[in-house]
Amino acid sequence: MAEILFPALFLLLILGLPVAFAMAISVFAAIMLASSYQPLVVVKEMFSGLDSFPLLAVPFFILASEIMTGGAVTLAILRLAQSLVGHLRGGLGHANVVSSAMFAGISGSALADAAGPGTMMIRMMEKGGYDRPYASALTIASAVVGPIIPPSITMIIYAMQDQNVSVGSLFMAGILPGLVITVMVILANARVSRQRNYASGAPMPPFAEIARAALFALPALILIVLIVGGIRFGVFTPTEASVIAVFYALFVGMFVYRSLRLRDLPAIVLRAALTSGAVLLILGAARAFAWVLIIESVPQYLAQTIIAWDLAPIVFLLAVNLLLLVFGLFMDPLPGVMILVPILAPISFALGIDPNHFAIIVIVNLTLGLTTPPVGSLIFVVSSTVGLKPSTLIREMPPFFIALAVALLLITFLPFLSAWLPKASGF
């Protein structure tokens, strides 16, 4: 069946079919043309992939993100970021990156980062004298931290595929790598700002103003501590944390920032439901796709082949980086995790690689695919919001591709960045 599965998938992706439908149709084609299984087994496997209690955390985190992305919350984060770094050369660009890192602790999604504070920062940067294509490219690069800094939808899905990690351990493992990516993008922005003479956005504010901005943003930022701390100390499970995040977001939006009204809730719930439906459809199709690979013994064959090569762990990680970067050109992170982790994670474990370290490498690689053509979702989301052609944004991306590549190499060669916090936290 594999000889039909992969050509069908790539053909459908080239034709522009959504990933979920491309995977489901390719599985149906493989089943009907090259097996004795009934097509109904595809539907069964899709539902089996969604029949999971931990998976309930995904729609609840999406709903919490929709509630928290109201105007007041986003403005509070942008105000704090600008007060911290806005006075530096390229300060509005730095504020873009810092606000994305802060917002990542609320949304757990790169696309939400780009569509929320990212879009607002593009407008602010353009008014501050930055070229719109450059501001848009910076937003694309800074949004990469969305699935890296906890909470993260991708990490929840990963933990369901690899029994050697947990959602809590991955949440802790993503903090330092997320900060590394943030710093590298800031350095790239600083270099370009010097070359193009992008001035600072404002004079350095007094400490009292920074303190007021921090206090105003504190209710939003507490959500990160609430989720990670609650999971770490066993107060609640990740699924329960997602529900608590929803109620906390409602409380903050309605009673702290007072930017959320009851009449806003139906539209918010509808947006969250549509997003959740799209995500879950992808996960179901990916489960059926992975099932075909398993019954065809593809993971076992690849595992035996790679182990027989007797690669050193670091050589294996470099090979995985190349594989995942290429895979990310054509596939979004969630189906990538569903398909590749059952194949690659057992091999890395057999080679003695820390499971949390390997997980972060996989997640970072697949997330970088959102910034690269031809499928890069971040490129198309940002280009549609700013009214520019994707090719115009891609021409501004090389400095950030270099920065993200350096961050990836640091994460790969310095395993303590991903492994230290989970161990220090008792996971």
Side-chain angles (χ1 to χ4, degrees), residues 33-46:
L33 298 177
S35 80
S36 59
Y37 290 98
Q38 294 297 318
L40 189 62
V41 74
V42 180
V43 180
K44 171 185 173 297
E45 288 300 321
M46 291 181 68

Side-chain angles (χ1 to χ4, degrees), residues 164-239:
N164 293 309
V165 297
S166 65
V167 173
S169 70
L170 290 183
F171 279 7
M172 298 303 297
I175 294 175
L176 292 181
L179 295 178
V180 168
I181 293 172
T182 300
V183 170
M184 294 309 304
V185 176
I186 286 176
L187 293 176
N189 175 65
R191 184 173 184 273
V192 175
S193 296
R194 284 196 301 271
Q195 292 174 340
R196 302 187 183 184
N197 197 30
Y198 290 142
S200 60
M204 183 175 181
F207 177 78
E209 183 177 332
I210 297 176
R212 284 195 297 270
L215 187 62
F216 187 58
L218 186 61
L221 299 178
I222 282 177
L223 182 62
I224 310 171
V225 180
L226 180 67
I227 293 171
V228 177
I231 295 173
R232 162 62 187 87
F233 293 106
V235 180
F236 36 71
T237 66
T239 305

Side-chain angles (χ1 to χ4, degrees), residues 79-146:
R79 178 180 166 188
L80 175 59
Q82 189 168 356
S83 69
L84 292 173
V85 295
H87 61 282
L88 304 173
R89 176 168 294 280
L92 283 176
H94 296 334
N96 189 338
V97 182
V98 172
S99 63
S100 288
M102 294 178 181
F103 199 77
I106 296 173
S107 69
S109 165
L111 299 180
D113 265 19
T119 301
M120 298 179 67
M121 280 304 310
I122 291 171
R123 293 197 293 267
M124 292 173 62
M125 290 177 67
E126 191 174 8
K127 290 179 181 178
Y130 292 75
D131 298 325
R132 187 194 299 181
Y134 174 76
S136 303
L138 176 61
T139 297
I140 292 170
S142 63
V144 167
V145 297

